Amino acid sequence: MILRNLSDPGLSPPGIAAAHFMSVRYLHKLFELEGVTVGEWIRTQRLERCRRDLLRSPALGHGVATVARRWGFVSPSHFSRAFRAAFGVTPREWQRSGLSRRSHA
């Protein structure tokens, strides 16, 4: 359910818990066993998909903000900060580095 709905900016622990007929507290406990919060896991999954799609997006004519929105990020500045924190480069830098790798291949 979570992966299917990653693009929904409203994806939240209460909605996830309700869809699986469990309490929010129990949902948090399940993720705690994995050493991550529900929110962290969702953000990581979204960022990974954005990272992948940013390398495809120029060929499709999509910019960074379009890719971010597609995966549930409503604020471009929040997305850029989260991406940089996760991967050490801005989304645009990542996109450019992927393009340059392709042109040198």
Side-chain angles (χ1 to χ4, degrees), residues 28-87:
H28 284 296
K29 281 282 189 203
L30 291 174
F31 277 83
E32 186 180 305
L33 293 171
E34 299 298 320
V36 68
T37 68
V38 178
E40 289 167 343
W41 192 87
I42 291 170
R43 183 176 50 253
T44 298
Q45 296 303 309
R46 286 175 170 166
L47 287 169
E48 285 295 337
R49 281 152 181 80
C50 287
R51 184 165 71 159
R52 178 197 66 203
D53 286 359
L54 283 168
L55 297 181
R56 299 176 182 164
S57 63
L60 300 173
H62 299 143
V64 171
T66 301
V67 171
R69 273 191 309 276
R70 179 182 304 135
W71 289 110
F73 290 97
V74 294
S75 166
S77 59
H78 174 258
F79 167 67
S80 187
R81 286 190 305 273
F83 193 95
R84 183 179 200 119
F87 304 118

